[in-house]
Amino acid sequence: AQTVTQSQPEMSVQEAETVTLSCTYDTSENNYYLFWYKQPPSRQMILVIRQEAYKQQNATENRFSVNFQKAAKSFSLKISDSQLGDTAMYFCAFMKHYRLNAGNMLTFGGGTRLMVKP
Amino acid sequence: DSGVTQTPKHLITATGQRVTLRCSPRSGDLSVYWYQQSLDQGLQFLIHYYNGEERAKGNILERFSAQQFPDLHSELNLSSLELGDSALYFCASSPPQGKAFFGQGTRLTVV
């Protein structure tokens, strides 16, 4: 079974600053996906960024980037130029590589609550 | 807009009752997943359906059941409801490429 751990229950950052959210995971799989989801006060689950384990290059999406360390089983999210709208709960999640006959569910960490301060 | 539609958005019901939550996946997605998010908790996987067939079960109570219909929409049935069943219930659909798109969730309050 897979486990995902987010060791920072809460974080805060000043607007326009950079913040890094940590995530570690445990798995015996070699091929898998890792995700960061954002959950704002509206409670909608929004996909922020996705990383494929077989890719060495770290994924980036505008102000969001990851530091993926496969050997260390670490997957941190960096938010640059933080904006007030980034205030949300952030969840790290793991998914096994797609298999037609297996459940490809997400395993979530406990979340990190990020507050961006003006 | 993720393309995944969940109804209703809010539901208030009494203990002991039964409710049905509905989910329509994104066009073309054959997989539907149900997750439960209790207050201030992470998301827990409940069940996965692929093209009408159950493919995996997580921490789903025996009082809960689900199905996926030929048109690919899915329903999650919750019966003999207890106060502790109050939660946000999410449906997600997934293409084969390893992504998951979530609906807006159904907030269930059991009183």
Side-chain angles (χ1 to χ4, degrees), chain A residues 21 34-40 44-51 59-66 75-80 85-86 88-93 108 114, chain B residues 99-102:
Chain A
L21 280 58
L34 294 164
F35 305 84
W36 281 97
Y37 279 89
K38 170 185 178 181
Q39 188 177 41
Q44 172 75 46
M45 291 293 289
I46 301 167
L47 177 61
V48 174
I49 200 163
R50 168 179 172 263
Q51 175 79 41
T60 62
E61 289 286 344
N62 301 314
R63 299 182 294 107
F64 298 88
S65 61
V66 298
F75 183 60
S76 61
L77 175 70
K78 186 171 81 170
I79 306 174
S80 304
D86 295 333
M89 195 76 165
Y90 287 81
F91 291 98
C92 178
F108 287 90
L114 176 67
Chain B
K99 285 187 178 182
F101 298 91
F102 284 78

Side-chain angles (χ1 to χ4, degrees), chain B residues 1 10 14 22-23 25 31 43 55 61 66 73 85 88 90 95 98 109:
Chain B
D1 183 9
H10 301 277
R22 182 187 169 101
C23 170
S31 275
L43 285 88
R55 287 298 171 90
L61 300 172
H73 91 271
D85 297 327
L88 193 56
F90 283 104
T109 302

Side-chain angles (χ1 to χ4, degrees), chain A residues 11-16 82-84 86-87 114-118:
Chain A
M11 295 189 72
S12 64
V13 62
Q14 292 296 132
E15 196 175 6
S82 297
Q83 300 176 0
L84 296 179
D86 295 333
T87 292
L114 176 67
M115 172 73 72
V116 179
K117 298 180 178 179

Side-chain angles (χ1 to χ4, degrees), chain B residues 64-78:
Chain B
F64 296 1
S65 65
Q67 53 184 333
Q68 186 179 28
F69 294 87
D71 68 351
L72 300 178
H73 91 271
S74 178
E75 294 180 355
L76 179 66
N77 301 295
L78 316 176

Side-chain angles (χ1 to χ4, degrees), chain B residues 2 7 10 24 37 47 52 54 60 79 84-85 87 89:
Chain B
S2 66
T7 56
H10 301 277
S24 293
Q37 185 179 30
I47 198 163
E54 180 186 305
I60 187 167
S79 62
D85 297 327
Y89 291 86

Side-chain angles (χ1 to χ4, degrees), chain B residues 2-17:
Chain B
S2 66
V4 179
T5 303
Q6 285 188 251
T7 56
K9 289 185 179 179
H10 301 277
L11 198 50
I12 301 175
T13 190
T15 54
Q17 295 297 305

